[in-house]
Amino acid sequence: MATFATFRSRIFLSRQSFQKFQTGIMESRRNLSSYLVTPKELSEALKKSPPSPISPEPRVIPLCAAWFLPNDERKGIDVFREKRIPKARFFDLDKVCDKHSPYPHMLPNAKTFAEAMSSLGIRKEDTVVVYDSKEAGIFSAPRVGWTLRVFGHPKVHVLNNFKLWVEEGYPTESGELYSVECNPYPIPKTDETKVASFEQVREVALDSNKEGSEGVQIIDARPNGRFTGKDPEPREGLSSGHMPGSINIPFSAVLDPETRAFLPKEKLKKLFEEKGVDPSKPIISTCGTGVTACVIETALEEAGYGSPETRRVYDGSWTEWAQRVNPSDSLIRKDE
């Protein structure tokens, strides 16, 4: 009996060990090292877990988020057709948004988001790696990555970046959109803690430099000329300038000027320190329309700067701000 019990115990342990081994294999197939991933990491992940429509296992899905400013003649869908990662899907920022808002590409509601993910053939358990156009390097992909996080998609990453993917000789394809099999995507909960509203930012701006204020910091990712008020906004009729107490860190400052990829962690930390950003205080990132604010948010994440629980993105950003503030409040400042 003792021998049989020992034998049965060994079988149980063997099965348990096999299950742990199997789980470890699955995790190693799916997990990427950090929020930002290199072309090499993505290439290896795609080989292990390709975006096959017939695979029942979680897959790695490249998601193109190419987008351009309204004064640019290029369109994201056009550069997607010209050159993309094989089997990539295209996320249209101007379509997956709040259609009832007067401001561009504001966050959609949870139902609209779920419908978009379903139409893209993305499952809740899939690992999604968002990337930009080759020309931009890093621009709008962090916005889409942030959007997926707001709606609780478990595994989201940003490629750092497609320009390097192309230059390093990884495969690409071109052509029209191809059909994908729709998958039911559950309507998620919205993580409101990642989003700053107009009212919240207005309160921070009104309290700027006042004794007893919470010391919430606002980082503005727009170019310095627009921040100071010397250059116009790309949207006609919109005043340039900045919010009281805000810190200007143009999104290009967190990118390598040659590769257009994010700077290394230590350089990002040094940049934020030099700009006077206090990691112990809450941070709100803003920009023109909430796109490049997410470049700053991603740089903060990469640098481990500030607490993720107290970092937010102002969704409406300057486009909403400049249209909603009262002139009497003096909440649009310009440098003399």
Side-chain angles (χ1 to χ4, degrees), residues 14 53 84 226 231 249:
S14 296
R84 61 177 177 261
R226 289 163 59 189
D231 294 340
I249 305 180

Side-chain angles (χ1 to χ4, degrees), residues 92-109 112:
D92 194 331
L93 266 176
D94 288 325
K95 290 184 178 179
V96 188
C97 62
D98 181 356
K99 299 288 187 181
H100 302 291
S101 173
Y103 313 112
H105 46 255
M106 295 280 280
L107 279 171
N109 60 35
T112 300

